[in-house]
Amino acid sequence: MTSVRKMVAQYEIHPRKRLGQSFLEDMNIVRRIAEVADPALDETIVEIGAGLGFLTQELAARAGRVIALEIDPKLACILRERFQGQDRVEVLETDVLKYDFAAAAAGGRVKVVGNVPYHISSPILFRLLEFRRAVSTMIVMFQKELADRITASPGTKDYGIPSVLVAKYARSVCEMTVPPTCFYPVPDVVSSVLRITVRQDNEPADEPLFEKIVRSAFARRRKTLWNNLRGISLTEEGVALALERSGIDRARRAETLSVEEFSRLTACWIGEAGMK
């Protein structure tokens, strides 16, 4: 088997910092990620940032179909050459932030796998959450700092907007930590691979309002819920009543609220809005 560095030299590839290109070259980690994804012959895998195709190859050996997304035209060309004649692999030169995951699901659900560009990790995460009805599982490598925030519990310093929104819609587990030396070029950060399993039956009563309340509550972390929430869509009296009826002290801060409490607050908020 060829190596990442041999392919980089062969194709005269100059990793582009603007695209966050850092290729995973530890094949043991590549295989472990494929094992965590556990693709089946009746499943479609959408791979984010397929790069040189090493993970693509591992996934294609097990999955019924792999859709490899790659924004870099040169890498997309290399992928097409590498997987020419392999019907299981479809290479798409596209921006993941514009990709329609529902189209890949064709009425079902896909698995998403990938080493995402760290400079756009949060937008990619929220994009995937938007398409959660078309996604069953995400096996995604993030910068460890973001991964820690996603998996954080209430009351911890890492607990924030990603923690609440992911926990509302999915269950997340850290499968492995990956040191910088496993990549070429070597990045400045440690990485973590998360398994995010989408919940099938936990939708908020009003999804946009739920997210608005969460984002507003964390807008100024040192401020109380009362200071952050008043004025976003209810009168001050309405906000006070929504907090009271949800059993949440207005003097608390957002990082102390569980996902269930945010859901209860959203329901009471809707109730107060309906009474006006």
Side-chain angles (χ1 to χ4, degrees):
M1 177 188 292
T2 188
S3 69
V4 165
R5 299 197 191 212
K6 285 181 179 178
M7 286 192 70
V8 167
Q10 177 185 347
Y11 290 99
E12 298 182 340
I13 296 168
H14 303 284
R16 300 167 67 182
K17 190 172 182 180
R18 182 180 66 82
L19 296 178
Q21 289 177 343
S22 190
F23 303 111
L24 179 60
E25 65 173 348
D26 186 321
M27 291 303 116
N28 289 323
I29 299 294
V30 170
R31 285 188 286 271
R32 284 180 63 191
I33 293 172
E35 288 170 3
V36 171
D38 192 25
L41 288 175
D42 60 348
E43 290 181 325
T44 295
I45 306 290
V46 178
E47 183 187 2
I48 297 174
L52 295 171
F54 288 93
L55 179 55
T56 315
Q57 181 174 324
E58 292 291 330
L59 295 170
R62 312 177 188 205
R65 182 184 181 209
V66 177
I67 301 174
L69 309 183
E70 178 53 60
I71 194 171
D72 187 318
K74 185 170 185 176
L75 294 181
C77 184
I78 292 170
L79 287 166
R80 291 193 188 97
E81 177 184 321
R82 181 169 184 176
F83 294 101
Q84 185 177 7
Q86 296 192 33
D87 295 338
R88 291 186 180 184
V89 179
E90 178 183 2
V91 178
L92 296 180
E93 183 185 321
T94 188
D95 182 347
V96 64
L97 294 176
K98 298 177 181 177
Y99 182 69
D100 182 357
F101 288 88
R109 289 176 180 258
V110 299
K111 286 182 176 177
V112 176
V113 182
N115 174 17
V116 304
Y118 292 165
H119 65 295
I120 54 169
S121 291
S122 291
I124 289 175
L125 173 64
F126 292 124
R127 176 77 174 176
L128 289 171
L129 289 178
E130 286 177 17
F131 283 95
R132 63 189 175 275
R133 295 172 186 85
V135 176
S136 63
T137 310
M138 312 168 203
I139 310 299
V140 191
M141 187 183 297
F142 293 110
Q143 183 175 336
K144 186 177 183 298
E145 181 181 348
L146 176 57
D148 289 345
R149 290 170 61 200
I150 292 170
T151 58
S153 301
T156 62
K157 66 180 180 62
D158 290 323
Y159 188 70
I161 294 170
S163 319
V164 177
L165 294 184
V166 173
K168 179 62 182 176
Y169 304 125
R171 295 182 300 275
S172 57
V173 176
C174 180
E175 292 288 346
M176 68 190 86
T177 299
V178 185
T181 51
C182 292
F183 297 86
Y184 176 79
V186 177
D188 298 325
V189 299
V190 177
S191 305
S192 293
V193 176
L194 298 188
R195 180 208 298 268
I196 302 175
T197 306
V198 179
R199 300 178 190 273
Q200 305 276 328
D201 56 354
N202 197 11
E203 293 293 326
D206 186 310
E207 180 182 325
L209 178 60
F210 176 84
E211 295 193 15
K212 185 174 184 180
I213 288 173
V214 171
R215 292 183 183 279
S216 298
F218 281 100
R220 296 168 294 176
R221 291 185 68 96
R222 297 183 63 84
K223 297 292 184 180
T224 64
L225 287 170
W226 168 250
N227 284 319
N228 280 338
L229 293 178
R230 59 181 180 172
I232 66 172
S233 63
L234 291 177
T235 63
E236 289 193 358
E237 179 186 5
V239 174
L241 287 171
L243 286 165
E244 180 182 342
R245 288 174 179 168
S246 62
I248 298 171
D249 189 329
R250 59 195 273 175
R252 289 173 64 183
R253 292 188 173 90
E255 63 264 27
T256 69
L257 266 66
S258 67
V259 175
E260 291 73 22
E261 286 177 308
F262 273 113
S263 296
R264 194 163 69 241
L265 177 57
T266 301
C268 292
W269 201 284
I270 292 170
E272 285 304 313
M275 295 174 65
K276 304 303 179 184

